[in-house]
Amino acid sequence: MKRILFKIFLSTCGLYFIASLVFSSSWVQHRILQEVRNITSPQGIELSIENIDVSLLLPKIYLNRVTLRTNENALINIPDPLSIERIKIAISPFGLIRNKIVLSEVSLYQPKIVLEQADILYKRLTKILGQKGKWQVKGAKYSVDVEKVGVVDAYVYVSLAESNVKIDS
């Protein structure tokens, strides 16, 4: 009995090791990045991601050195690109049973957010959100639920067009 349990343990460790090697390979990372770009580009969002780290023990994905730009097809135009040193996405695997992708945590590490004329951007955003109901990504098979969002060590610069108010932190 002990020998069978030991073999099951070794098999599980071997499968975990092989899965870690597969997910950390450059081909898989390139494929994931391509899928992300295919989803975001019709929305007018250009993403640049340097690399991806995957942790399988507790399902997490780390996106490193992310830059977000918008183009003329975007609903909201952000003139300066947003840059984020690292994004941690923790996934709850039990959500897949209910046909949902549950992100238990999304954390942004060292984001640099520059929003000039933020009041104009806010007015556009509230107008768009008032017109639409639920936001969905076309072609998505599962609904996505986000439980917790966090920001760590952020640089934020916000200025308003209608007044001389500027926030630099």
Side-chain angles (χ1 to χ4, degrees):
M1 182 68 178
K2 289 181 183 181
R3 184 171 272 174
I4 292 173
L5 288 176
F6 184 70
K7 286 181 180 180
I8 291 173
F9 175 74
L10 282 180
S11 299
T12 305
C13 289
L15 288 174
Y16 176 76
F17 179 71
I18 291 170
S20 295
L21 287 177
V22 168
F23 282 118
S24 64
S25 70
S26 61
W27 180 83
V28 172
Q29 287 185 9
H30 178 70
R31 183 73 177 132
I32 291 171
L33 290 175
Q34 190 62 36
E35 285 297 321
V36 169
R37 287 185 185 122
N38 288 342
I39 291 171
T40 58
S41 63
Q43 308 293 327
I45 299 170
E46 299 171 6
L47 276 178
S48 171
I49 302 170
E50 187 173 301
N51 68 359
I52 298 174
D53 296 328
V54 178
S55 170
L56 295 178
L57 190 58
L58 298 171
K60 293 179 188 163
I61 299 172
Y62 295 95
L63 307 174
N64 297 314
R65 291 173 211 59
V66 178
T67 304
L68 182 138
R69 292 178 179 82
T70 58
N71 59 27
E72 62 276 353
N73 296 333
L75 292 174
I76 299 172
N77 189 11
I78 301 172
D80 295 325
L82 305 177
S83 64
I84 304 165
E85 184 64 27
R86 176 176 256 203
I87 301 174
K88 178 178 86 171
I89 303 169
I91 303 166
S92 174
F94 300 112
L96 294 174
I97 297 170
R98 299 185 316 259
N99 291 333
K100 290 184 178 183
I101 297 175
V102 178
L103 306 178
S104 58
E105 179 184 1
V106 176
S107 298
L108 308 176
Y109 291 90
Q110 298 175 350
K112 180 182 176 190
I113 303 167
V114 177
L115 296 175
E116 296 189 17
Q117 301 179 349
D119 50 347
I120 296 171
L121 183 67
Y122 176 75
K123 288 177 185 176
R124 287 183 195 159
L125 184 62
T126 54
K127 182 187 267 188
I128 290 170
L129 289 176
Q131 294 173 351
K132 293 199 173 216
K134 189 175 182 180
W135 283 51
Q136 294 179 342
V137 178
K138 291 182 181 178
K141 295 179 183 177
Y142 301 103
S143 64
V144 178
D145 292 343
V146 179
E147 293 179 350
K148 182 170 57 169
V149 176
V151 178
V152 178
D153 209 16
Y155 170 76
V156 178
Y157 176 80
V158 177
S159 67
L160 303 178
E162 294 179 4
S163 64
N164 197 17
V165 175
K166 296 180 181 177
I167 300 170
D168 190 2
S169 67

